[in-house]
């Protein structure tokens, strides 16, 4: 299991605390420093069953500067969204946990983290 975190994020710290309490075996990826490639983001999106706009933090300053709220949300623009996430990793929703069964979850709640643990 791998968890993409921003150490400054309270949801990330809470997810790590729960993973530790449950004795989970996981690897931490500080995705702001170890930025995922567009291909890695595409793979994680597939595992999540989501589109890039579903995991984009549109309220961030960078998102506002890029105008992402106005970008089309369709297959023809998917690569543009993924490129923005790879170029500006602060826009990626966090934490993202890849589960043992090949799926992934956005672990913003205790229930989501427990869901990843159960897979």
């Amino acid at each position: 299991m791998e968890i993409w975190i921003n150490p400054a994020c309270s949801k990330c710290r809470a997810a790590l605390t729960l993973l530790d309490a449950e004795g989970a075996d996981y690897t931490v990826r500080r995705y702001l420093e170890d930025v995922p490639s567009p291909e890695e983001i595409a793979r994680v999106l597939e595992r999540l069953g989501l589109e890039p706009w579903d995991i984009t933090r549109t309220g961030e300053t960078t998102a506002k500067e890029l105008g992402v709220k106005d970008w089309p949300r369709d297959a023809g623009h998917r690569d543009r969204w993924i490129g923005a996430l790879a170029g500006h990793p602060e826009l990626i929703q966090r934490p993202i946990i890849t589960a043992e069964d090949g799926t992934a979850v956005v672990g913003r709640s205790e229930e989501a983290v427990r869901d990843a643990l159960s897979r």
Side-chain angles (χ1 to χ4, degrees):
M1 171 177 336
E2 182 177 76
I3 181 170
W4 292 7
I5 68 156
N6 172 352
C9 168
S10 63
K11 300 281 187 192
C12 293
R13 291 191 308 271
L16 291 173
T17 298
L18 180 54
L19 291 174
D20 288 341
E22 295 295 325
D25 182 24
Y26 64 91
T27 302
V28 171
R29 181 172 186 170
R30 294 179 179 212
Y31 71 93
L32 295 176
E33 299 162 16
D34 182 10
V35 179
S37 69
E39 295 79 19
E40 288 175 299
I41 293 170
R43 283 194 302 273
V44 165
L45 286 167
E46 185 176 324
R47 292 176 79 166
L48 287 165
L50 298 173
E51 293 294 341
W53 44 85
D54 296 326
I55 66 161
T56 300
R57 298 173 55 86
T58 58
E60 294 290 321
T61 301
T62 303
K64 291 175 184 174
E65 290 169 356
L66 293 172
V68 297
K69 281 190 176 183
D70 297 325
W71 291 3
R73 297 176 182 213
D74 58 38
H77 293 87
R78 192 171 194 272
D79 288 344
R80 180 182 186 191
W81 284 85
I82 291 172
L85 294 173
H88 307 279
E90 69 274 16
L91 298 180
I92 299 172
Q93 190 59 260
R94 63 202 180 234
I96 293 177
I97 304 169
T98 57
E100 294 293 325
D101 69 353
T103 61
V105 298
V106 178
R108 295 195 53 77
S109 68
E110 180 178 337
E111 294 79 23
V113 176
R114 288 193 183 282
D115 182 38
L117 285 167
S118 71
R119 296 180 184 194

